[in-house]
Structures are given as structure tokens and as C-alpha cells.
């Protein structure tokens, strides 16, 4: 079974690092890559750093989460340039990535993870 990891893209370095810190509390063994800001000080997202994070992951399959629209756009472009399988989720970035990581850590398969994430997407 191929390893599955997580990538998080946020416009703010501190947000990305905070989510990463939270996830590591419940999923120490899951490969989590984070991209925050254009750099540590500048708010925004970068195609180059997003692609690098995808390619630096030890996982062949990635579950991707983002905070705002341009982060999603950079993820979509980076996915096209990578040979990895990346699924982008339109769910709340903190709750979605945390849930996915905890489930991966517990050995839950991707189909069941997607069911859990779909419930978040359809909340009314």
C-alpha cells in the first residue's frame, strides 16, 4: 500500500506552522508538508514553494488542504506539474487536515477518510 501524506497551503506562515503543530499531536507518523506565505514574512502563496512541498513529501499520494482561493489555484497548478497523486479538498483547512491526519495515523483507508471529509463539506 502506498503511503499517503498531507499538504497544507496557507497565506500566512504562522497559520501553516500552527496547523502543522496541531496535527503532529495526533499524527506523528504522517508526512505533513506545509506552505505558509510567500516566505516567513510575506503574506500570499507561491506556486514554486507549493510544488516543492508536494515533491518533497515522502508520500506518493497526498491529501491537500488550503485556506483561500489563490492557495487552491497554486495547488491545482502544482498538481499538474507533479507525478504524485494529489486530491484537493474544499473543507475547512484546520478541521479537514486534522481529521485526515488523525485518520491516516489510525490506519483508516482513503475511501473512509473521504467520507468523513465529505460530511464536513456538506454541513448546512
Amino acid at each position: 500500500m502506498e503511503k499517503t501524506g498531507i499538504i497544507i497551503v496557507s497565506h500566512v506562515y504562522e497559520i501553516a506552522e500552527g496547523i502543522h503543530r496541531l496535527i503532529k499531536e495526533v499524527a506523528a507518523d504522517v508526512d505533513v508538508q506545509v506552505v505558509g506565505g510567500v516566505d516567513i514574512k510575506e503574506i500570499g502563496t507561491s506556486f514554486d514553494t507549493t510544488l516543492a512541498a508536494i515533491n518533497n513529501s515522502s508520500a506518493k499520494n497526498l491529501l491537500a488542504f488550503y485556506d483561500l482561493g489563490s492557495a487552491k489555484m497554486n495547488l491545482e497548478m502544482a498538481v499538474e506539474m507533479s507525478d504524485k497523486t494529489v486530491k484537493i479538498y474544499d473543507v475547512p483547512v484546520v478541521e479537514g487536515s486534522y481529521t485526515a491526519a488523525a485518520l491516516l495515523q489510525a490506519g483508516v483507508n482513503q475511501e473512509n477518510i473521504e467520507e468523513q471529509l465529505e460530511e464536513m463539506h456538506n454541513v448546512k
Side-chain angles (χ1 to χ4, degrees):
M1 184 169 136
E2 288 187 339
K3 184 176 176 183
T4 299
I6 290 178
I7 181 167
I8 297 163
V9 181
S10 173
H11 281 69
V12 179
Y13 173 80
E14 292 86 355
I15 291 173
E17 286 301 316
I19 296 170
H20 185 246
R21 185 174 163 206
L22 179 66
I23 287 173
K24 283 304 177 183
E25 288 292 313
V26 296
D29 300 325
V30 176
D31 183 316
V32 179
Q33 301 290 318
V34 296
V35 178
V38 175
D39 56 38
I40 292 176
K41 294 181 182 177
E42 190 177 346
I43 292 175
T45 61
S46 161
F47 164 79
D48 292 329
T49 55
T50 301
L51 180 59
I54 290 170
N55 290 336
N56 288 337
S57 176
S58 62
K60 292 290 181 198
N61 299 309
L62 291 167
L63 312 182
F65 302 89
Y66 64 94
D67 61 358
L68 298 169
S70 61
K72 181 180 182 182
M73 182 185 68
N74 279 320
L75 266 169
E76 289 170 339
M77 290 189 304
V79 166
E80 294 295 319
M81 302 299 290
S82 177
D83 61 352
K84 297 193 179 190
T85 302
V86 182
K87 171 87 186 232
I88 301 170
Y89 292 94
D90 295 318
V91 297
V93 64
V94 177
E95 185 179 5
S97 59
Y98 180 89
T99 299
L103 292 171
L104 285 171
Q105 181 71 34
V108 175
N109 67 36
Q110 189 166 342
E111 182 180 328
N112 289 333
I113 292 170
E114 288 189 12
E115 287 174 12
Q116 292 286 321
L117 295 174
E118 183 65 26
E119 288 177 20
M120 285 179 206
H121 183 69
N122 290 327
V123 173
K124 303 220 187 302

